[in-house]
Amino acid sequence: MPDRPNLAELGLNPGKRTRLHRILFEHGQRNGTALFLPYDQGLEHGPRDFAPNPVSADPRYILRLALEGPFNGIAIQIGLAEKFYWEYAGEVPLLLKLNGKTEIPPDDAALSPLHASVEDAVRLGADAVGYTLYVGTPAAEQDFAQYRQVRSDAERLGMPLVVWAYPRGSAIEAKGGRDSFYAVDYAARTASELGADVVKVNFPHPEKTDAVKAPYDTPVTPEQAIRSVVGSAGRTLLLVSGGSHAGDEAMLTKAELSMAAGATGLIFGRNVWQRGHDESLRFVDRLAGVLAKYPSRPL
Amino acid sequence: MPDRPNLAELGLNPGKRTRLHRILFEHGQRNGTALFLPYDQGLEHGPRDFAPNPVSADPRYILRLALEGPFNGIAIQIGLAEKFYWEYAGEVPLLLKLNGKTEIPPDDAALSPLHASVEDAVRLGADAVGYTLYVGTPAAEQDFAQYRQVRSDAERLGMPLVVWAYPRGSAIEAKGGRDSFYAVDYAARTASELGADVVKVNFPHPEKTDAVKAPYDTPVTPEQAIRSVVGSAGRTLLLVSGGSHAGDEAMLTKAELSMAAGATGLIFGRNVWQRGHDESLRFVDRLAGVLAKYPSRPL
Amino acid sequence: MPDRPNLAELGLNPGKRTRLHRILFEHGQRNGTALFLPYDQGLEHGPRDFAPNPVSADPRYILRLALEGPFNGIAIQIGLAEKFYWEYAGEVPLLLKLNGKTEIPPDDAALSPLHASVEDAVRLGADAVGYTLYVGTPAAEQDFAQYRQVRSDAERLGMPLVVWAYPRGSAIEAKGGRDSFYAVDYAARTASELGADVVKVNFPHPEKTDAVKAPYDTPVTPEQAIRSVVGSAGRTLLLVSGGSHAGDEAMLTKAELSMAAGATGLIFGRNVWQRGHDESLRFVDRLAGVLAKYPSRPL
Amino acid sequence: MPDRPNLAELGLNPGKRTRLHRILFEHGQRNGTALFLPYDQGLEHGPRDFAPNPVSADPRYILRLALEGPFNGIAIQIGLAEKFYWEYAGEVPLLLKLNGKTEIPPDDAALSPLHASVEDAVRLGADAVGYTLYVGTPAAEQDFAQYRQVRSDAERLGMPLVVWAYPRGSAIEAKGGRDSFYAVDYAARTASELGADVVKVNFPHPEKTDAVKAPYDTPVTPEQAIRSVVGSAGRTLLLVSGGSHAGDEAMLTKAELSMAAGATGLIFGRNVWQRGHDESLRFVDRLAGVLAKYPSRPL
Amino acid sequence: MPDRPNLAELGLNPGKRTRLHRILFEHGQRNGTALFLPYDQGLEHGPRDFAPNPVSADPRYILRLALEGPFNGIAIQIGLAEKFYWEYAGEVPLLLKLNGKTEIPPDDAALSPLHASVEDAVRLGADAVGYTLYVGTPAAEQDFAQYRQVRSDAERLGMPLVVWAYPRGSAIEAKGGRDSFYAVDYAARTASELGADVVKVNFPHPEKTDAVKAPYDTPVTPEQAIRSVVGSAGRTLLLVSGGSHAGDEAMLTKAELSMAAGATGLIFGRNVWQRGHDESLRFVDRLAGVLAKYPSRPL
């Protein structure tokens, strides 16, 4: 049984605890783990991401996939939430993403502007909100200012806050890049220090040791790296994201290592819906199998 | 007995006085001195600071250390305060740090963005708030704007304001660097001019005379330097920070000189928790011995 | 060991827990019990209450008595808090009473108008706020409207809310009077239902069975009555008030029965300060002896 | 030297202390006492009050009288302050009266509605604000609600708050009347409990013992009564008002007794301006003579 | 008698007029002139300014000097006002400086960030606020935005606004420098055009004709220059600042020329307190002698 923090020991107010309980124990594997379906790529990368499986451009297709999974939640932006979620309202938890950006401008001073509010999420019946924090960006002042408002509203309204903790910008590129163990570990800790309830990170690459600070310049195993990242998140529940579509076995290995290390779950989008419907579900079924092996400790 | 300002002569409103009384007379040595345990390095430097003593990555370990010390308070960011302080609520005073940044972007125009509010501190039961002011930074406009709001809210809500007064940015590097006597003395005075109740500075280096303004280009002794810094702080109580982990004897000498000069206390983090548990407490015990020698004057 | 609710199981936010910890474990007997000194009678009854011991008209005398007790807190109105508490800031917890009235108008439609705010309490460094709710008053609409604001602010600012739950007004007089078991039990439950953290009630008189509803028309023992009242308060901590000056042995019996039943403490004013200084302290010492016998369960 | 509270021991914020210093030490006798000229009778009683000395209907006449006195301040309503004070701006302190009423409706449920704000007072350069609180009125709920806002604004803006503490309404008439010792003593204490910086009361009539509560039903001397009233006000500075025009010797006796008992000053209107100019000044000169005998203790 | 504008002809609202009356007629020479003691150099230049007379580092020394002068006011920042003014509250008028900066960053795009508000000034009992406007700075947009808020609040709250009108930044250096007659005359007019009640300028140097615009490239006498500057200020009262410590006779000549030209007063800091106590007062006495020669016209 992984050393994953328990809902009762997180200091959550009743609303946050209620909504996280719903996500973690009333959907998906119902065992304290989570498998999220993110679908914000239409804004983040543009419709080009839908080319491998054109039907994935239709939000209804994705919502049905979330139900079929069954997933613990679907992460979408305000527009899709307004126009499509009502048909499935309450059937799958909604994680409303509050900020986002296009891939068009350069990323040197990356900032993901806010386009929706925690109150929107309440109005839409969401069970969590998502915020992308670009850890290490030169635009940290604006990023923190947006984040401060979101964190405060989420606390006041009892809404779980999921932080996409992404090292980004010219400075991190000069210090070993965005997915080094140094960068991912720092990102997980940053989300924890700043009050995220859940943090989403990429799987760390401990083999990237160039230009990173000690002791990250000494290689460790992936097991050791992900265990450290989970520890850095502390009482902030950790989700590992799938990133761009890669090989299934590599993905399943990442999933297994993450869950064994104490992660709470996975958030896999393109690896799921950039393939045909049935193949998607077969892959999801294998992910669910991993989650089933790592239930939360009883209180 | 040092010529340290007395709580009764600081013009404090009742809330500030109540909370400072609690910190200075109901915890630690209970003699008007203070030993704070800062634990914001997970954000400021990243998890790499925990490598020398891996258990230090766990906020519970640090909170227990604060109780064992006994320390007069623990300085943490909003995330750790939300998720970990509740278990120790009221057992050790909370100093909520309201701004912070990662070490990733360059420091030329250093700014520590705000991520929490004085009202958060009230809600969490904190007895003080902390704000990092980068004295001399080219980003002073944003820094002062953030600070103005914090100072005003702290006054309105009776919350003591502790300013981390850190000379930082390209301009101070061109004028002798961040820890020259010129820089530290100026920083202490700046915090006093801007209304800090307590100021945290690094111990001044009077031997760094290159490029500093007169009369700081003439060497003085460390005793003379720290006495001047305490004087520049005036009725703003002064804490000397430990900085990066250094030799114990050097640290204890700094502590002794500071307290003899009228400092109110010390704020030592890495020097404490970047070593094993028992060794930490032995070092803390020696620091406490210094504080015990310098009680505040009776009213 | 009494079956008193524990701070850890009350669902308190960190600020409320911190401040209650301070009151219950850092003052008085430091064992989870409380002895409060109320001093709002100058407004509620006028200066005539000070006649038996004229020096009691001076708030400084009362504050010093609170320190000598030692009491867990002193309950005063905004005016005395502003003008007198600053000299003792932080030495004894302040319970700021937010509403009050004179005894001059008739009590048929009793209402205690608000004259201070939770934010005042924060600014003054208070550890709790007090609100008099006249249970059963025909003026309940205004009473609840005031209370709603106080409760909401207290929750937002992490300030424990102590409710003086007093059955009052023409309707309760027609149903057996203000201190019947029916009335007191109902008042304790009302405070609990409406979100008080602590409730202050008078000791119930189960022998007053006239005109009360069943089953309160059947006499029970005082032990049974107070145990029921504590149960009605549930996770709202219960304080028993002393009321007007009566015989010491009767008071000590009430105290003993209350504490044995699971009350958290006592709030005795006139019984304390309407007699000479030394005699006051001897009586307080006997009350403290009762509290010492009933520590809270460890977590 | 009377046992009058000192500005330094009142817990005043700097603005209140500055403005009270100005009134008490930079005008009038400049010895810590005060003689105020109230001129709100045009609203409270109508122009009929000006009949004995028709020129008194002209606010310019009264303002010049205030300068000639010299008085420590003039108490007027917003309209006269706006239209007449500018010509004498800063020459005599302005005490802006924030509420008032006509004498036309009956007084059973007396309430003096608010017609100006503390911010108006700041804008006009006033050194204090005045509020009439009808102690014991059945309309206490509205009265306290208005008062709460005024008190809070006055605290925030550093403006001394002078409370006209007037027992009024059907209930006090049934309990011995508005100027009994019971009523006046209670009124002084009420202002103190509710946070007035200065309280204005009528001289008590201890010979009115009918229907009052014990111990006020036992006659005491006027000396004893006024000493008790000053004590009930505590750290709220006390002004004795002249009331309707009476004999000079009786007035001077009241003044002498009040000042000897520790009152801070007098507020005499009709007794001053309801007679010819030179006679007014001769009477004022005698009042000033009384004040000169009772300077405040040095700090 | 100089052709100095009269308080009655400035279109001031009552609060501004009251407070300026206080400064000009109830302190210092009480003749409509002003001698201010500025003490913001601890922030603007750092503690190095106190080296010539080390006791000057203590704000209490400066406050006592202001009383001994007697000065018409002391100009300090929020921190010193909060911690030190309360002891002298009301004894000497407070001019609260609302913005300021350190000397550390370069001055090319000079901006003095706001750190306090007009409401702070009201709360502290100040009689005026000060704002540094860097006339001609490339950062004028931020400067004007800050100024607009200050001017508007000062108008609303009846608080006189003193503008430090300082030509500064790369552009004015390219056009003849900060103290040319062109620059100072333009600065005085700018303050007047933007709504200052009082403007503080340096004495103009009409001999600096290089690179300035016509007709300032033609030398005039100092008498002519200062007379022009006073005229440019118009109904904005003009104060001449002393600048860095220079010879007494030169200073007195500047003072005499300024007052003869219609300036309202002087604001001398380092020339006063950068020397021993008795010598300071002898110099102040000579300045007072100049002011005494130039009383304001009666209304």
Side-chain angles (χ1 to χ4, degrees):
Chain A
M1 201 155 285
D3 188 24
R4 180 188 302 144
N6 203 299
L7 280 194
E9 64 197 16
L10 303 182
L12 298 169
N13 67 28
K16 287 192 173 195
R17 185 164 168 180
T18 296
R19 291 179 175 95
L20 280 177
H21 176 89
R22 205 136 61 202
I23 290 170
L24 296 174
F25 292 98
E26 312 240 328
H27 290 271
Q29 300 306 307
R30 298 169 181 268
N31 68 347
T33 66
L35 179 61
F36 278 97
L37 188 60
Y39 186 61
D40 58 346
Q41 296 82 354
L43 177 64
E44 297 289 337
H45 310 142
R48 67 178 173 86
D49 268 19
F50 307 133
N53 179 29
V55 71
S56 66
D58 183 351
R60 286 173 299 181
Y61 172 80
I62 301 292
L63 273 154
R64 284 192 296 262
L65 206 57
L67 290 173
E68 288 167 327
F71 281 82
N72 294 70
I74 182 167
I76 51 180
Q77 313 270 11
I78 185 77
L80 304 193
E82 294 276 11
K83 297 282 189 293
F84 294 92
Y85 184 64
W86 62 270
E87 276 192 291
Y88 302 90
E91 298 183 35
V92 61
L94 171 62
L95 193 176
L96 186 69
K97 191 74 195 325
L98 302 184
N99 63 346
K101 65 174 187 57
T102 71
E103 65 173 13
I104 300 171
D107 246 7
D108 299 341
L111 179 74
S112 181
L114 214 58
H115 54 65
S117 69
V118 180
E119 204 168 289
D120 283 320
V122 171
R123 176 176 54 84
L124 289 163
D127 278 323
V129 291
Y131 181 88
T132 297
L133 188 83
Y134 284 133
V135 177
T137 178
E141 184 192 356
Q142 298 98 303
D143 206 2
F144 276 41
Q146 293 187 146
Y147 174 77
R148 185 172 75 238
Q149 186 64 49
V150 168
R151 183 195 54 70
S152 172
D153 291 346
E155 195 282 331
R156 180 172 55 87
L157 295 165
M159 183 64 69
L161 171 54
V162 184
V163 168
W164 272 233
Y166 282 179
R168 202 62 51 97
S170 50
I172 196 68
E173 296 307 328
K175 289 180 176 164
R178 64 181 68 175
D179 56 0
S180 73
F181 176 23
Y182 166 67
V184 174
D185 206 24
Y186 205 156
R189 182 78 188 195
T190 297
S192 160
E193 295 271 348
L194 297 184
D197 298 307
V198 182
V199 60
K200 170 184 192 277
V201 294
N202 286 306
F203 198 91
H205 285 250
E207 75 282 7
K208 299 199 175 176
T209 55
D210 281 0
V212 301
K213 296 225 174 187
Y216 298 96
D217 51 356
T218 304
V220 298
T221 65
E223 284 87 340
Q224 289 168 319
I226 187 67
R227 193 165 294 275
S228 174
V229 170
V230 168
S232 293
R235 283 180 173 165
T236 295
L237 306 178
L238 190 117
L239 302 176
V240 172
S241 75
S244 58
H245 193 167
D248 283 9
E249 298 314 315
M251 284 291 139
L252 285 159
T253 300
K254 285 209 291 191
E256 186 87 36
L257 290 177
S258 301
M259 298 307 293
T264 289
L266 310 168
I267 176 160
F268 277 30
R270 283 168 289 171
N271 282 283
V272 171
W273 47 255
Q274 280 185 344
R275 49 175 116 192
H277 175 264
D278 296 355
E279 199 189 330
S280 285
L281 290 181
R282 273 193 299 274
F283 178 61
V284 168
D285 201 54
R286 294 184 69 190
L287 292 174
V290 176
L291 299 189
K293 288 169 56 185
Y294 298 98
S296 283
R297 285 177 288 123
L299 286 183
Chain B
M1 202 155 282
D3 188 24
R4 181 187 302 144
N6 204 300
L7 282 193
E9 64 197 17
L10 303 182
L12 299 169
N13 69 26
K16 287 191 173 195
R17 185 165 167 179
T18 294
R19 293 178 174 95
L20 280 177
H21 174 90
R22 209 133 62 201
I23 291 170
L24 296 175
F25 292 97
E26 312 239 328
H27 290 272
Q29 300 306 307
R30 299 170 182 265
N31 68 347
T33 66
L35 178 61
F36 279 98
L37 188 60
Y39 186 61
D40 58 348
Q41 295 83 353
L43 178 63
E44 298 289 337
H45 311 141
R48 67 181 174 84
D49 269 16
F50 307 131
N53 179 31
V55 72
S56 66
D58 184 350
R60 285 171 299 183
Y61 172 80
I62 301 293
L63 274 154
R64 285 192 294 260
L65 207 57
L67 290 173
E68 288 167 328
F71 282 82
N72 295 71
I74 182 168
I76 50 179
Q77 315 268 9
I78 183 80
L80 303 192
E82 294 273 10
K83 296 278 189 292
F84 294 91
Y85 183 64
W86 63 271
E87 276 191 289
Y88 304 90
E91 298 184 31
V92 61
L94 171 62
L95 194 177
L96 186 70
K97 190 76 197 320
L98 302 185
N99 64 345
K101 65 174 188 58
T102 69
E103 66 171 12
I104 299 170
D107 246 7
D108 300 340
L111 179 74
S112 182
L114 212 58
H115 54 66
S117 68
V118 180
E119 203 169 290
D120 283 318
V122 170
R123 176 175 54 85
L124 289 163
D127 278 324
V129 291
Y131 182 89
T132 296
L133 188 83
Y134 284 134
V135 177
T137 180
E141 184 191 358
Q142 299 98 303
D143 206 1
F144 276 41
Q146 293 188 146
Y147 174 78
R148 185 172 75 239
Q149 186 65 50
V150 168
R151 183 195 54 70
S152 170
D153 290 346
E155 196 282 333
R156 179 172 55 85
L157 295 166
M159 184 62 71
L161 171 54
V162 183
V163 169
W164 273 232
Y166 282 179
R168 202 63 50 96
S170 50
I172 196 67
E173 297 306 329
K175 290 180 176 165
R178 61 181 69 175
D179 56 2
S180 74
F181 176 25
Y182 166 67
V184 174
D185 206 25
Y186 204 156
R189 182 79 188 193
T190 297
S192 160
E193 296 272 348
L194 296 185
D197 298 306
V198 182
V199 61
K200 171 186 193 274
V201 294
N202 286 306
F203 198 91
H205 285 250
E207 75 281 7
K208 299 200 176 175
T209 54
D210 282 1
V212 302
K213 296 223 175 187
Y216 299 95
D217 51 355
T218 305
V220 298
T221 64
E223 284 87 339
Q224 289 168 319
I226 187 66
R227 193 166 293 275
S228 173
V229 171
V230 169
S232 293
R235 284 181 173 165
T236 295
L237 306 178
L238 190 117
L239 302 176
V240 172
S241 74
S244 58
H245 193 169
D248 283 9
E249 299 314 314
M251 284 291 140
L252 285 159
T253 300
K254 285 208 293 190
E256 185 88 38
L257 289 177
S258 301
M259 297 307 293
T264 288
L266 310 168
I267 176 160
F268 277 30
R270 283 168 289 170
N271 281 282
V272 170
W273 47 255
Q274 281 186 342
R275 51 175 113 192
H277 175 263
D278 296 355
E279 202 192 326
S280 285
L281 289 181
R282 275 193 298 272
F283 179 60
V284 167
D285 202 54
R286 294 184 68 189
L287 293 174
V290 175
L291 299 188
K293 288 168 55 185
Y294 298 99
S296 283
R297 284 178 288 124
L299 287 183
Chain C
M1 200 156 285
D3 188 25
R4 180 187 303 144
N6 203 300
L7 282 193
E9 64 198 18
L10 303 181
L12 299 168
N13 70 25
K16 288 192 173 195
R17 185 164 167 180
T18 295
R19 292 178 174 96
L20 281 177
H21 174 90
R22 209 133 62 200
I23 290 170
L24 297 173
F25 292 97
E26 312 239 328
H27 290 271
Q29 300 306 307
R30 298 172 181 265
N31 69 346
T33 66
L35 178 61
F36 277 98
L37 188 60
Y39 187 61
D40 58 347
Q41 294 85 352
L43 178 63
E44 298 289 337
H45 311 142
R48 67 181 174 85
D49 269 17
F50 307 131
N53 180 29
V55 71
S56 67
D58 184 349
R60 285 171 298 183
Y61 173 80
I62 302 293
L63 274 154
R64 284 191 294 260
L65 208 57
L67 291 173
E68 287 168 328
F71 282 81
N72 295 71
I74 182 166
I76 50 178
Q77 315 267 8
I78 184 80
L80 303 192
E82 294 273 10
K83 296 278 189 293
F84 293 91
Y85 183 63
W86 61 273
E87 277 191 287
Y88 303 90
E91 297 183 31
V92 60
L94 170 63
L95 194 176
L96 187 70
K97 191 76 196 322
L98 302 185
N99 63 346
K101 64 173 188 57
T102 70
E103 66 172 12
I104 299 170
D107 246 7
D108 301 342
L111 179 73
S112 182
L114 211 59
H115 55 67
S117 68
V118 180
E119 201 169 291
D120 282 318
V122 170
R123 176 176 55 85
L124 289 163
D127 278 323
V129 291
Y131 181 90
T132 296
L133 189 83
Y134 284 134
V135 177
T137 180
E141 183 189 357
Q142 298 98 302
D143 206 2
F144 277 37
Q146 292 187 146
Y147 174 78
R148 186 172 74 237
Q149 185 64 48
V150 168
R151 185 197 51 70
S152 169
D153 290 346
E155 194 282 333
R156 178 174 56 86
L157 295 166
M159 184 64 70
L161 172 54
V162 183
V163 169
W164 273 233
Y166 282 179
R168 199 64 51 95
S170 50
I172 194 70
E173 297 306 328
K175 290 183 176 163
R178 61 181 70 175
D179 55 1
S180 74
F181 175 26
Y182 165 66
V184 174
D185 206 25
Y186 206 155
R189 183 75 188 194
T190 298
S192 161
E193 297 272 350
L194 297 184
D197 299 307
V198 181
V199 61
K200 171 186 192 276
V201 293
N202 287 306
F203 198 91
H205 286 249
E207 75 281 7
K208 299 199 177 176
T209 55
D210 282 2
V212 302
K213 297 223 175 186
Y216 298 95
D217 51 355
T218 305
V220 297
T221 65
E223 283 88 339
Q224 288 168 320
I226 187 65
R227 194 165 293 277
S228 173
V229 171
V230 169
S232 294
R235 284 182 172 165
T236 296
L237 305 178
L238 189 117
L239 302 177
V240 172
S241 74
S244 57
H245 192 169
D248 283 10
E249 299 313 315
M251 283 292 139
L252 285 159
T253 301
K254 284 209 294 191
E256 186 87 35
L257 290 178
S258 301
M259 298 307 293
T264 288
L266 309 168
I267 175 161
F268 276 32
R270 283 168 289 171
N271 283 282
V272 170
W273 46 256
Q274 280 186 343
R275 49 174 115 192
H277 176 263
D278 296 355
E279 201 191 326
S280 286
L281 289 181
R282 274 193 297 273
F283 178 60
V284 167
D285 201 55
R286 295 184 68 189
L287 294 174
V290 176
L291 299 189
K293 288 168 55 186
Y294 298 98
S296 283
R297 285 178 288 120
L299 287 182
Chain D
M1 202 156 283
D3 189 23
R4 181 187 301 144
N6 203 300
L7 282 194
E9 64 197 18
L10 302 182
L12 300 169
N13 69 25
K16 287 192 173 193
R17 185 165 167 180
T18 295
R19 291 178 175 94
L20 281 177
H21 173 90
R22 209 131 63 199
I23 289 170
L24 297 174
F25 292 97
E26 313 239 328
H27 290 271
Q29 300 306 308
R30 298 170 182 267
N31 68 346
T33 66
L35 178 61
F36 277 99
L37 188 61
Y39 186 62
D40 58 348
Q41 295 84 354
L43 178 64
E44 297 289 336
H45 312 141
R48 67 179 173 84
D49 268 18
F50 307 133
N53 179 28
V55 71
S56 67
D58 183 352
R60 285 173 299 181
Y61 173 80
I62 301 293
L63 274 154
R64 281 192 296 263
L65 208 56
L67 290 173
E68 288 167 327
F71 281 82
N72 295 71
I74 182 167
I76 50 179
Q77 314 269 10
I78 185 79
L80 303 193
E82 294 275 10
K83 297 282 191 293
F84 293 92
Y85 184 64
W86 62 270
E87 276 191 289
Y88 302 90
E91 298 184 32
V92 61
L94 171 63
L95 193 176
L96 187 69
K97 191 74 196 324
L98 302 185
N99 63 346
K101 64 174 187 57
T102 70
E103 65 173 13
I104 300 171
D107 246 6
D108 299 342
L111 179 73
S112 181
L114 213 58
H115 54 64
S117 68
V118 180
E119 202 169 292
D120 284 320
V122 170
R123 176 177 53 84
L124 289 163
D127 278 323
V129 291
Y131 181 89
T132 296
L133 188 84
Y134 284 134
V135 176
T137 179
E141 184 193 359
Q142 299 98 302
D143 205 2
F144 276 41
Q146 293 187 145
Y147 174 77
R148 184 172 77 239
Q149 186 64 50
V150 168
R151 184 195 53 71
S152 172
D153 290 346
E155 195 282 332
R156 179 173 55 86
L157 295 166
M159 184 64 71
L161 172 54
V162 183
V163 168
W164 272 233
Y166 283 179
R168 202 62 51 94
S170 50
I172 195 68
E173 297 306 328
K175 289 182 177 162
R178 63 181 69 175
D179 56 1
S180 73
F181 176 25
Y182 166 67
V184 174
D185 206 25
Y186 205 157
R189 182 79 188 193
T190 298
S192 160
E193 295 271 348
L194 297 185
D197 298 306
V198 182
V199 60
K200 170 185 192 277
V201 294
N202 286 308
F203 197 91
H205 285 250
E207 75 282 6
K208 300 199 176 176
T209 55
D210 282 1
V212 301
K213 297 225 174 185
Y216 298 95
D217 51 355
T218 304
V220 297
T221 64
E223 284 87 341
Q224 288 169 321
I226 187 66
R227 194 166 294 275
S228 174
V229 171
V230 169
S232 292
R235 285 181 171 165
T236 295
L237 305 179
L238 189 117
L239 302 177
V240 172
S241 74
S244 58
H245 192 168
D248 283 10
E249 299 314 315
M251 283 293 138
L252 285 159
T253 300
K254 285 208 294 192
E256 185 88 35
L257 290 177
S258 301
M259 297 306 294
T264 288
L266 309 168
I267 176 161
F268 276 32
R270 283 168 290 170
N271 282 283
V272 170
W273 46 257
Q274 280 185 344
R275 52 174 114 191
H277 175 263
D278 296 355
E279 201 190 327
S280 287
L281 290 181
R282 274 192 299 273
F283 178 61
V284 167
D285 201 53
R286 293 183 69 188
L287 293 174
V290 175
L291 299 189
K293 288 168 57 186
Y294 298 99
S296 285
R297 286 178 288 122
L299 287 183
Chain E
M1 200 156 284
D3 188 24
R4 180 188 302 143
N6 204 300
L7 282 193
E9 65 197 19
L10 302 183
L12 298 169
N13 71 23
K16 287 193 173 194
R17 184 165 167 180
T18 295
R19 292 179 174 94
L20 281 177
H21 174 89
R22 210 132 62 200
I23 290 170
L24 297 173
F25 292 98
E26 313 239 328
H27 289 270
Q29 300 306 307
R30 300 172 181 265
N31 68 347
T33 66
L35 178 61
F36 278 98
L37 188 61
Y39 186 61
D40 58 348
Q41 294 84 353
L43 178 63
E44 298 289 337
H45 311 141
R48 67 181 174 84
D49 270 17
F50 307 133
N53 179 31
V55 72
S56 66
D58 185 349
R60 286 172 297 184
Y61 173 81
I62 301 293
L63 274 154
R64 285 192 294 260
L65 208 57
L67 291 172
E68 289 168 328
F71 282 81
N72 296 70
I74 182 168
I76 50 179
Q77 315 268 7
I78 184 80
L80 303 193
E82 293 274 9
K83 295 277 188 295
F84 294 92
Y85 183 64
W86 61 272
E87 278 192 287
Y88 304 90
E91 297 184 31
V92 60
L94 171 63
L95 193 177
L96 187 70
K97 191 75 198 319
L98 302 185
N99 63 345
K101 65 174 187 57
T102 69
E103 66 171 13
I104 298 170
D107 246 7
D108 302 341
L111 179 74
S112 182
L114 212 58
H115 54 66
S117 68
V118 180
E119 202 168 291
D120 283 318
V122 170
R123 177 176 53 84
L124 289 163
D127 280 323
V129 290
Y131 182 89
T132 296
L133 188 83
Y134 284 134
V135 177
T137 180
E141 183 188 356
Q142 298 98 303
D143 205 2
F144 277 40
Q146 293 188 145
Y147 174 78
R148 185 171 73 239
Q149 186 65 48
V150 168
R151 185 194 52 69
S152 169
D153 290 346
E155 195 283 331
R156 178 172 56 85
L157 295 166
M159 184 63 71
L161 172 54
V162 183
V163 169
W164 272 233
Y166 282 180
R168 201 64 48 96
S170 51
I172 195 69
E173 297 306 327
K175 289 182 177 165
R178 61 181 70 175
D179 56 0
S180 74
F181 176 26
Y182 165 66
V184 174
D185 206 26
Y186 205 156
R189 183 76 190 193
T190 298
S192 160
E193 297 272 349
L194 297 185
D197 298 307
V198 182
V199 61
K200 171 185 193 275
V201 293
N202 285 306
F203 199 90
H205 285 248
E207 75 281 7
K208 297 199 177 176
T209 55
D210 282 2
V212 302
K213 295 222 175 186
Y216 299 94
D217 52 354
T218 304
V220 298
T221 66
E223 284 88 340
Q224 288 169 319
I226 188 65
R227 192 165 296 276
S228 172
V229 171
V230 169
S232 294
R235 284 183 171 166
T236 295
L237 305 178
L238 190 118
L239 302 176
V240 172
S241 74
S244 58
H245 193 169
D248 283 10
E249 299 313 315
M251 282 292 140
L252 285 159
T253 300
K254 284 209 291 191
E256 185 87 37
L257 290 178
S258 301
M259 297 307 293
T264 288
L266 309 169
I267 177 161
F268 277 30
R270 283 168 288 171
N271 282 282
V272 170
W273 46 255
Q274 280 186 341
R275 50 174 113 191
H277 175 263
D278 296 355
E279 200 191 327
S280 285
L281 289 181
R282 276 194 297 273
F283 178 60
V284 167
D285 202 55
R286 294 183 69 188
L287 292 174
V290 175
L291 299 188
K293 288 168 57 184
Y294 298 98
S296 283
R297 283 178 290 120
L299 288 182

